[in-house]
């Protein structure tokens, strides 16, 4: 697992939420996949823009939730769903988080959230408009500031 363009980020939501609280910045949640072709296209055609990289680097704490990572987690990190199913790998756990916390079930999806993981804007999916993505990121920062500053 890696972040493109040497962007600093996390792969665990709880760690990212803690970092966002400490940095007093919004979260940028990247719902992604190892084998997601559209995710790589977004990174190549949208995230490659210097404005996008600067906003992500300067104004957000980043977390990537890979929904197809088959890596098993230790038993103490297993997640039991409301229906009683036990999730034992990173991808299934992240997919469950994406569905239950962010109400998305596809990749890529991008969420701007506060440090508690509450979405500040509707999610943004696959869309190759650089201007639209910059606007999404800027609106996310403005929504975060409106919520957290008097």
């Amino acid at each position: 697992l890696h972040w493109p363009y040497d962007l600093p980020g996390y792969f665990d939501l709880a760690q990212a939420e803690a970092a966002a609280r400490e940095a007093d910045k919004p979260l940028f949640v990247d719902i992604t996949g190892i084998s997601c072709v559209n995710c790589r296209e977004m990174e190549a055609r949208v995230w490659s823009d210097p404005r996008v990289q600067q906003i992500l680097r300067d104004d957000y704490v980043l977390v990537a939730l890979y929904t197809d990572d088959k890596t098993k987690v230790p038993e103490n990190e297993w997640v039991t769903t409301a229906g009683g199913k036990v999730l034992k790998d990173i991808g299934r756990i992240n997919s469950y988080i994406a569905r239950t916390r962010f109400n998305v079930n596809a990749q890529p999806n991008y969420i701007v959230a506060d440090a508690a993981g509450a979405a500040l804007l509707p999610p943004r999916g696959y869309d190759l408009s650089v201007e639209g993505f910059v606007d999404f990121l800027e609106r996310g920062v403005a929504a975060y500031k409106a919520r957290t500053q008097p």
Side-chain angles (χ1 to χ4, degrees):
L1 305 181
H2 75 282
W3 278 92
Y5 308 105
D6 293 322
L7 290 166
Y10 296 87
F11 302 101
D12 177 273
L13 186 57
Q15 290 175 349
E17 288 171 341
R21 278 190 296 278
E22 186 173 318
D24 191 23
K25 291 182 178 181
L27 282 171
F28 175 81
V29 183
D30 177 15
I31 309 297
T32 189
I34 296 164
S35 59
C36 175
V37 173
N38 287 342
C39 301
R40 300 300 83 79
E41 186 176 18
M42 283 291 295
E43 292 165 5
R45 295 180 58 187
V46 177
W47 293 32
S48 59
D49 186 276
R51 294 171 299 165
V52 170
Q53 290 179 37
Q54 181 178 5
I55 295 168
L56 289 174
R57 209 179 290 284
D58 295 347
D59 298 331
Y60 284 93
V61 171
L62 313 179
V63 60
L65 300 181
Y66 280 83
T67 60
D68 60 353
D69 184 341
K70 304 295 185 212
T71 304
K72 301 293 183 204
V73 297
E75 187 172 351
N76 65 328
E77 295 178 23
W78 292 358
V79 172
T80 303
T81 69
K85 185 174 183 178
V86 178
L87 308 176
K88 301 177 182 182
D89 66 63
I90 291 171
R92 291 178 198 269
I93 293 168
N94 284 341
S95 185
Y96 181 71
I97 291 168
R99 286 190 319 274
T100 59
R101 289 198 53 193
F102 303 117
N103 202 30
V104 297
N105 194 25
Q107 45 184 302
N109 260 294
Y110 308 104
I111 314 296
V112 172
D114 64 19
L120 298 170
L121 300 173
R124 183 175 177 88
Y126 176 81
D127 182 332
L128 296 176
S129 167
V130 172
E131 295 304 321
F133 203 78
V134 167
D135 178 65
F136 172 73
L137 294 174
E138 289 175 342
R139 285 186 301 113
V141 170
Y144 178 78
K145 288 179 180 176
R147 181 175 287 185
T148 60
Q149 296 175 0

